[in-house]
Amino acid sequence: MATGTKAYIEDKDGNNILPATDWSIVQNKPGNLATTDQLPVLSPWQRDGLVYKNGAYDYDHVNNGMNCAYRIADMGSFKIVELRLAFAINQDVPGGSGDLEAIELPRAIQADGDEEVWEATGVSRVFIHFKNQSVSLYCQKFNDGDKYPHDGLITFHTVYFSTI
């Protein structure tokens, strides 16, 4: 048996604070857990609240419109959000035209702070710009004719935290 000095944590009134042993009094616990020995699970894929703009659409031929979707793991005081997007835009986006917003995300999955990601698309000089609640397409212009060609597949995948 180990020997040592007992240590107690006290509140401001001098009462000993004991570890929570009753699950019902644990604060900020994940809402989808029943006991302390479970781990949070990701929700099913969902697309509620995704708004397509400027001719953007879900590039789906076999998955019942679920190529643009998200799922959430409720960790109690924060959420982990996984976002997957496979979409296209039904118009050419010329180089040098700035960001063209393609998808607005629902507030329920808005990233905390000033989350910002730039990602190459595989099309020369065409990038995805993800910032807070918006996914946009950006096409650089170096030469005449630089553009995103309409209806080309664009994919984006990210995981981030949210306390919203």
Side-chain angles (χ1 to χ4, degrees), residues 88-149:
I89 300 175
N90 66 6
Q91 61 180 305
D92 290 350
V93 179
S97 61
D99 275 7
L100 178 72
E101 186 176 18
I103 301 173
E104 181 182 325
L105 304 176
R107 177 154 171 72
I109 63 168
Q110 180 178 349
D112 285 358
D114 191 17
E115 180 78 19
E116 186 170 10
V117 176
W118 287 88
E119 187 174 295
T121 62
V123 176
S124 180
R125 299 183 182 92
V126 178
F127 301 90
I128 293 174
H129 186 199
F130 168 66
K131 185 170 183 177
N132 295 333
Q133 274 185 268
S134 178
V135 178
S136 301
L137 200 62
Y138 178 81
C139 183
Q140 289 180 305
K141 181 176 181 177
F142 290 120
N143 302 303
D144 288 338
D146 285 344
K147 67 179 179 179
Y148 156 79

Side-chain angles (χ1 to χ4, degrees), residues 8-162:
Y8 295 95
I9 299 174
E10 295 181 347
D11 65 13
K12 66 179 176 73
D13 297 324
N15 300 314
N16 288 341
I17 298 174
L18 302 175
T21 56
D22 183 349
W23 181 246
S24 66
I25 64 171
V26 175
Q27 296 179 4
N28 292 324
K29 63 186 172 199
N32 61 344
L33 300 185
T35 65
T36 56
D37 64 346
Q38 291 179 312
L39 293 175
V41 296
L42 286 165
S43 69
W45 286 104
Q46 53 192 319
R47 57 181 175 221
D48 300 337
L50 295 178
V51 178
Y52 298 96
K53 297 186 169 191
N54 296 308
Y57 60 93
D58 187 319
Y59 197 89
D60 190 0
H61 303 291
V62 295
N63 202 19
N64 298 321
M66 293 297 282
N67 282 343
C68 292
Y70 59 89
R71 56 187 180 172
I72 300 168
D74 180 357
M75 305 299 283
S77 58
F78 68 96
K79 296 182 283 190
I80 298 173
V81 179
E82 181 180 8
L83 175 66
R84 72 172 183 207
L85 302 173
F87 66 99
I89 300 175
N90 66 6
Q91 61 180 305
D92 290 350
V93 179
S97 61
D99 275 7
L100 178 72
E101 186 176 18
I103 301 173
E104 181 182 325
L105 304 176
R107 177 154 171 72
I109 63 168
Q110 180 178 349
D112 285 358
D114 191 17
E115 180 78 19
E116 186 170 10
V117 176
W118 287 88
E119 187 174 295
T121 62
V123 176
S124 180
R125 299 183 182 92
V126 178
F127 301 90
I128 293 174
H129 186 199
F130 168 66
K131 185 170 183 177
N132 295 333
Q133 274 185 268
S134 178
V135 178
S136 301
L137 200 62
Y138 178 81
C139 183
Q140 289 180 305
K141 181 176 181 177
F142 290 120
N143 302 303
D144 288 338
D146 285 344
K147 67 179 179 179
Y148 156 79
H150 66 87
D151 300 313
L153 174 62
I154 302 163
T155 61
F156 179 69
H157 180 262
T158 190
V159 176
Y160 56 91
F161 299 102
S162 175

